[in-house]
Amino acid sequence: MKSNWSDADARAAIEEWSAAGEDVALRVYTSRLIGAEADLVLHGGGNTSVKTTFLDPLGTAIPAIHVKGSGWDLATIEPAGLPGMDLEALRRLRALDALSDEAMVNQQRIRLFDAGAPTPSVETLLHSFLPAKFIDHSHADAILALTNRPDGEMIVADLFGPSCPRVPYVMPGFALAKFAAAVAEEATNSGNTPIGLVLLKHGLFTWGETARESYERHVELVDRAERWLASSRRRSIRIEITADPAAAEAIAALVAPILRGRLAEATTDTDRPFRRFVLDRRATPEILEIVNAAELTEITDSNPLTPDHTIRTKPRPLLIAPPAERTAAGWTEAISSAVEQFAVQYRTYVAAGIDARGPKKPLDAVPRVVLIPGRGLFAVGASRKEARIAGDIAEHTLRTKRLSWETGAVYEALPDVDLFDLEYWSLEQAKLGKGAEKPLARQVAAITGAAGAIGRAIAAKLLEAGAHVALLDLDLAAADSLRAQLAAKFGGAVVEAIACDVTDEASTVAAFDEVCRRFGGVDLAVPNAGIARSAPLAQLSTEEFRRVMEVNATGVFLTIREAAARMRLQGTGGNIVVISSKNVMAPGAEFGAYSASKAAAAQLAKVAALELAKEGIRVNSIAPDAIFATGETPSGLWAAVGPDRAKARGMAPEDLPDFYRRRSLLQVPLTGEHIGNAVVFFASNLTPTTGATLPVDGGLAEGFPR
Ligand code: ZN
């Protein structure tokens, strides 16, 4: 690890954040340098501080400390993420023998200078009790590799010397703050001017009089640890499985929905009978080497590098040995029993924790990291974003445990009860931000023809409702540019673009396989891709008729079949919402191919409703009247047929939208968003409805379903 300090960047930081003062500006700058190193901190981990002066409204200078606030990430922190507090008031707390977590948080909050500031880190008092101006704290992989071994303290003592004393593991909070400050003082009193502390099985603190000094000491110590580890390798893992990558990808598409289904928890709500999880799969060469190694269990089946990973990863990963029979049934059996066994072990861990520490409400017993030889790593979360956090921590954990093993060490993590303390600590659980979930949270939707005018509106509505969305489209470039737009608004983890020609069986199968590889499965399919051709039957060519039938009927058939196949593997029900047309009830002249193909699709939806009900899959249709555009995106269908439809009605194409509006009972314009709302309604299982058609047409008497 190298220092990334730059004088020019530091000057720019002082200028950019001049309103916050030079100390805080430089604190922001080097916090970001630390945050940018994934080997130091991940996803909100680590914290930093600076001691400075605050001028109150009367002009009185008050000694102040700014510490990272919860909810901020060091990589992207700003001055607002470093709330300032009355330093002297916090330091006076050191005289207490004990302080509960709630009282500690309250003390931090009442000492804030800004009543609206975020709650400062749980390590605030540790930063306050240490005298240095700038303090940096990380959970560096290399420090954890060195300290999670029986001889770790000795190695660190040799490597860092007396200016960086060791602190045995104590759970973060008031007790650790007092203890660590006392260790630092003892070093000072014995003449070893300390520059930092190694918190065994937790992380590294360094400090300095300037931002640069503290940061560069941090990097230098971590670099020393990294070099020691690299030069101490004495054995290599033995790769046992050499899977053909293409076969591994195919099996991953089969395994993911089976796994996702087994991870879902049954509920007592008949309309929402499962609490699902979303998966994020990783199969980098590095991960495959580890999961394919003969030493997989020895290296990975152990407690985390540091207890605060537990809230993201649970105490242990779940290892699943591939079944002898590599069929859906074989995998289902193997995965079911492994997941059940994990739950039993997790509940035993919780029971032991409750015995030791007192009552707590048990959290779910679902693994967050699943390792499967030959297939890779599946990270699990309530959302793909959470799954990715678990996956990132898991990747660093695998790498660090492997490295530790390669140096010949016995990996020795903290015992279960320390993990339990952190996992069930209210201040840690608060980081997960438990709130009411959106109606389609934990769900994965796949929309065909997603880049079109209606498809994009449906996608946006589903994302707003909390779903993860796969944008399937023949035109991958268009789907990709829509993905970028939606990702800017909803985050990159929740939306993916995948090429799909719904008229091509292989392409549709491949697209749904890809949905499973990216999200773990699918809960909602929206067969929406459609085309039209306007011509009297006498002038309609066989080729044109077939083409419309291929997209609007065969495409719907393939989409329903392939989506239902994955839903069946999951075994957690689902929804299919077919975008039908008012033409099914009220066909239009010179619209024969379209009307016939949509009638076929509507009938397929009803047959699917009959066949899939027993599996908890509901199939409904939405019958829109003409939708001409969504925002700036004109309907491709209407661009193609509009001129002919206008001619058939003896009007100009630009008058069509108004014509369609006026012919409805409500006389309101129809938008893609209306269709999106109807899809969200069905997907939310608000009513026990299947086989139904919901018109979204402004009210057309001839279109009333019957
Ligand atoms: Zn920490």
Side-chain angles (χ1 to χ4, degrees), residues 324-384:
E325 193 136 330
R326 308 283 167 93
T327 57
W331 279 106
T332 303
E333 167 79 37
I335 293 172
S336 298
S337 75
V339 169
E340 276 164 33
Q341 223 180 318
F342 182 94
V344 169
Q345 280 167 6
Y346 181 78
R347 292 195 187 105
T348 307
Y349 148 88
V350 174
I354 289 173
D355 267 357
R357 301 293 203 241
K360 293 276 181 188
K361 185 171 174 282
L363 299 164
D364 69 74
V366 176
R368 295 298 191 273
V369 179
V370 179
L371 304 173
I372 307 183
R375 320 296 161 223
L377 182 162
F378 292 87
V380 181
S383 64
R384 186 135 172 266

Side-chain angles (χ1 to χ4, degrees), residues 7 115 537 548 626:
D7 286 332
L537 295 180
V548 174

Side-chain angles (χ1 to χ4, degrees), residues 598-650:
K598 284 291 184 182
Q603 200 72 342
L604 279 169
K606 289 176 188 168
V607 172
L610 295 173
E611 293 180 0
L612 299 173
K614 60 181 181 295
E615 306 187 58
I617 302 168
R618 304 175 182 198
V619 189
N620 292 289
S621 301
I622 295 167
D625 198 3
I627 306 281
F628 290 90
T630 289
E632 301 290 292
T633 307
S635 158
L637 186 149
W638 279 97
V641 302
D644 285 341
R645 297 305 290 157
K647 209 166 81 191
R649 298 190 186 280

Side-chain angles (χ1 to χ4, degrees), residues 169-437:
Y169 180 80
V170 174
M171 185 175 158
F174 183 69
L176 173 62
K178 276 190 78 158
F179 186 30
V183 171
E185 266 170 20
E186 205 179 286
T188 308
N189 295 340
S190 48
N192 299 311
T193 311
I195 59 163
L197 292 170
V198 173
L199 274 52
L200 301 177
K201 303 179 198 292
H202 174 166
L204 176 67
F205 273 84
T206 57
W207 49 77
E209 276 318 295
T210 64
R212 181 176 184 173
E213 185 176 53
S214 178
Y215 163 70
E216 290 194 333
R217 282 174 172 168
H218 209 91
V219 170
E220 202 273 320
L221 291 178
V222 171
D223 185 59
R224 234 188 273 173
E226 285 177 345
R227 282 166 189 275
W228 187 91
L229 287 162
S231 65
S232 304
R233 283 192 161 120
R234 62 180 64 154
R235 54 179 173 177
S236 312
I237 55 173
R238 199 159 43 82
I239 308 297
E240 211 172 35
I241 302 166
T242 45
D244 161 41
E249 288 303 295
I251 300 230
L254 171 70
V255 167
I258 294 174
L259 173 62
R260 181 163 182 258
R262 305 290 89 65
L263 295 176
E265 297 177 295
T267 72
T268 52
D269 180 343
T270 50
D271 285 313
R272 278 160 291 274
F274 293 96
R275 193 166 165 270
R276 300 169 169 110
F277 290 87
V278 180
L279 308 186
D280 185 56
R281 174 173 173 263
R282 294 158 190 231
T284 61
E286 186 189 23
I287 289 172
L288 286 174
E289 269 186 28
I290 298 174
V291 298
N292 294 344
E295 300 83 3
L296 170 67
T297 306
E298 186 189 339
I299 294 174
T300 62
D301 194 15
S302 47
N303 284 353
L305 299 175
T306 187
D308 77 34
H309 289 171
T310 316
I311 59 161
R312 300 294 190 179
T313 63
K314 295 281 179 184
R316 300 264 171 137
L318 170 62
L319 275 56
I320 300 178
E325 193 136 330
R326 308 283 167 93
T327 57
W331 279 106
T332 303
E333 167 79 37
I335 293 172
S336 298
S337 75
V339 169
E340 276 164 33
Q341 223 180 318
F342 182 94
V344 169
Q345 280 167 6
Y346 181 78
R347 292 195 187 105
T348 307
Y349 148 88
V350 174
I354 289 173
D355 267 357
R357 301 293 203 241
K360 293 276 181 188
K361 185 171 174 282
L363 299 164
D364 69 74
V366 176
R368 295 298 191 273
V369 179
V370 179
L371 304 173
I372 307 183
R375 320 296 161 223
L377 182 162
F378 292 87
V380 181
S383 64
R384 186 135 172 266
K385 189 175 168 219
E386 283 193 14
R388 281 186 171 174
I389 293 175
D392 287 347
I393 293 172
E395 270 197 57
H396 279 262
T397 303
L398 290 182
R399 187 179 304 146
T400 305
K401 286 183 176 177
R402 174 188 178 171
L403 182 55
S404 169
W405 182 88
E406 285 174 341
T407 65
V410 175
Y411 178 77
E412 189 191 66
L414 284 167
D416 286 357
V417 73
D418 288 306
L419 309 185
F420 178 83
D421 281 343
L422 260 272
E423 190 184 1
Y424 283 82
W425 190 21
S426 59
L427 303 189
E428 278 290 296
Q429 283 297 326
K431 289 184 189 169
L432 300 180
K434 292 267 156 59
E437 285 192 328

Side-chain angles (χ1 to χ4, degrees), residues 410-485:
V410 175
Y411 178 77
E412 189 191 66
L414 284 167
D416 286 357
V417 73
D418 288 306
L419 309 185
F420 178 83
D421 281 343
L422 260 272
E423 190 184 1
Y424 283 82
W425 190 21
S426 59
L427 303 189
E428 278 290 296
Q429 283 297 326
K431 289 184 189 169
L432 300 180
K434 292 267 156 59
E437 285 192 328
K438 292 185 174 172
L440 300 185
R442 299 168 177 264
Q443 293 212 35
V444 178
I447 308 166
T448 67
I454 296 181
R456 64 181 52 221
I458 295 172
K461 285 290 177 185
L462 290 174
L463 287 163
E464 260 173 44
H468 300 73
V469 174
L471 307 165
L472 274 46
D473 205 286
L474 185 60
D475 182 349
L476 182 59
D480 228 4
S481 105
L482 174 62
R483 185 202 57 75
Q485 284 173 36

Side-chain angles (χ1 to χ4, degrees), residues 487-502:
K489 185 165 178 201
F490 298 98
V494 293
V495 55
E496 294 275 356
I498 296 168
C500 180
D501 176 352
V502 294

Side-chain angles (χ1 to χ4, degrees), residues 260 270-273 276 439-440 443-447 462 512 522-527 559-560 563-564 566-568 570 572-578 605 608-609 612 615-621 678-692:
R260 181 163 182 258
T270 50
D271 285 313
R272 278 160 291 274
R276 300 169 169 110
L440 300 185
Q443 293 212 35
V444 178
I447 308 166
L462 290 174
F512 275 93
V522 61
D523 310 299
L524 165 64
V526 186
T559 304
I560 292 177
R566 273 87 188 160
M567 292 177 190
R568 198 170 293 127
Q570 291 173 154
T572 52
N575 273 284
I576 297 172
V577 183
V578 174
L612 299 173
E615 306 187 58
I617 302 168
R618 304 175 182 198
V619 189
N620 292 289
S621 301
V679 175
V680 170
F681 166 74
F682 280 127
S684 304
N685 284 8
L686 291 170
T687 58
T689 303
T690 191

